[in-house]
Amino acid sequence: PTDVMVLGIQAWPAGIIYSPVDVNGRAALYSLGFMMRRAAAVRLDIDERELKVGLRVIQAANGQVRGEIFMSDSLENGAGYSSYLGTPSETQDLLEFLIGHVDTSFFAPLVSQPHETSCQTSCPDCLRDFSNLAFHNILDWRLGLDLARLALDPNAAIDFTVPYWQSLAATASAAYFAAQPQWQFTTLAGVPAGRRGNVVEIIVHPLWDWHGNPSNFYPQLNAAHGAAQAAGAQRIQHKSIFEVLRRPY
């Protein structure tokens, strides 16, 4: 049978969600998968086309739907790259290589100029190639890095304080609100937002769960809600930075 490696993240901070049934979560999962494939090709000195990436959607006993990324050798009875990468130590090494622990040769070009500024979502230099053409509209290198950090540390910060998010979150949000009459760009507890009269719209990280009770939100989003209420907002709405960058209006 074809060799396969599977990666499923079992634990993550409260207020974080990356369900494959939601486009934000699906984008993060595929982005991590294709980023791991590219990093694996660099480490093994092989062509990316020798590995395939896919998403497995499963339902847990509690009814929760979650996604697992898998990589397999392109050729049946192939060289065994995926089995090798699927061992716990090699998977951890691959994720650490991806986020720049010890060896920054893969990570540094992603977060350095001109790539960080010019690539808002994905490009041929980071994630795109012909084999994943069908996913180009949702791939996002920042989300791939976020999930990689989360896979290594369930307490990793998943917000706009991370350096590779800071500039993009501020500039994209400011442009979004500036294009809409009567909206004013602001920040609430460090989270980009806009205000028009008594209505506040908060720009949220794609992996934040912004549904339900605000007390269960990610801490930074909860603080932004509190700041909006303290400022007299009568209605608070949300838009993911994922949507702002791709289909803002």
Side-chain angles (χ1 to χ4, degrees):
T2 301
D3 296 295
V4 178
M5 75 158 287
V6 180
L7 176 65
I9 304 174
Q10 303 299 318
W12 55 90
I16 294 294
I17 187 169
Y18 54 93
S19 170
V21 301
D22 174 77
V23 67
N24 296 273
R26 191 160 60 252
L29 287 160
Y30 273 118
S31 296
L32 174 60
F34 287 116
M35 188 171 284
M36 290 181 69
R37 183 180 72 165
R38 180 160 292 192
V42 172
R43 282 174 60 86
L44 298 175
D45 192 23
I46 61 174
D47 192 295
E48 288 183 58
R49 290 172 295 182
E50 296 194 52
L51 294 168
K52 294 191 295 186
V53 173
L55 173 64
R56 181 170 74 171
V57 179
I58 60 175
Q59 186 171 26
N62 60 3
Q64 183 184 45
V65 177
R66 74 168 190 260
E68 295 180 342
I69 287 294
F70 67 85
M71 279 198 298
S72 62
D73 289 16
S74 296
L75 298 176
E76 192 167 342
N77 296 317
Y81 298 128
S82 297
S83 294
Y84 171 74
L85 294 168
T87 60
S89 61
E90 287 301 324
T91 300
Q92 179 168 336
D93 286 349
L94 178 60
L95 290 168
E96 290 181 344
F97 175 67
L98 195 157
I99 66 170
H101 280 183
V102 184
D103 183 348
T104 63
S105 60
F106 184 86
F107 175 78
L110 293 174
V111 298
S112 301
Q113 301 302 330
H115 182 262
E116 183 183 12
T117 300
S118 62
C119 183
Q120 292 187 327
T121 56
S122 63
C123 69
D125 289 336
C126 61
L127 279 175
R128 295 185 179 186
D129 61 36
F130 183 77
S131 70
N132 58 25
L133 180 64
F135 303 98
H136 285 185
N137 61 326
I138 65 170
L139 293 180
D140 193 306
W141 65 271
R142 291 175 174 85
L143 289 180
L145 290 179
D146 281 343
L147 274 196
R149 293 190 300 107
L150 199 57
L152 290 167
D153 178 8
N155 297 311
I158 305 296
D159 54 37
F160 296 133
T161 66
V162 179
Y164 54 76
W165 274 111
Q166 286 180 351
S167 177
L168 177 66
T171 56
S173 300
Y176 165 67
F177 288 113
Q180 300 181 80
Q182 302 179 3
W183 281 89
Q184 293 182 324
F185 174 68
T186 185
T187 57
L188 299 169
V191 180
R195 180 162 188 163
R196 185 180 66 182
N198 293 323
V199 179
V200 167
E201 184 169 71
I202 299 174
I203 305 302
V204 299
H205 187 286
L207 299 182
W208 286 351
D209 182 4
W210 60 85
H211 306 286
N213 192 327
S215 63
N216 296 324
F217 288 170
Y218 192 80
Q220 196 178 15
L221 179 56
N222 191 13
H225 260 256
Q229 292 171 336
Q234 295 182 1
R235 188 176 65 170
I236 302 174
Q237 54 197 40
H238 309 86
K239 183 181 279 292
S240 165
I241 191 72
F242 180 92
E243 300 288 340
V244 168
L245 293 170
R246 291 167 175 82
R247 37 179 180 264
Y249 310 113

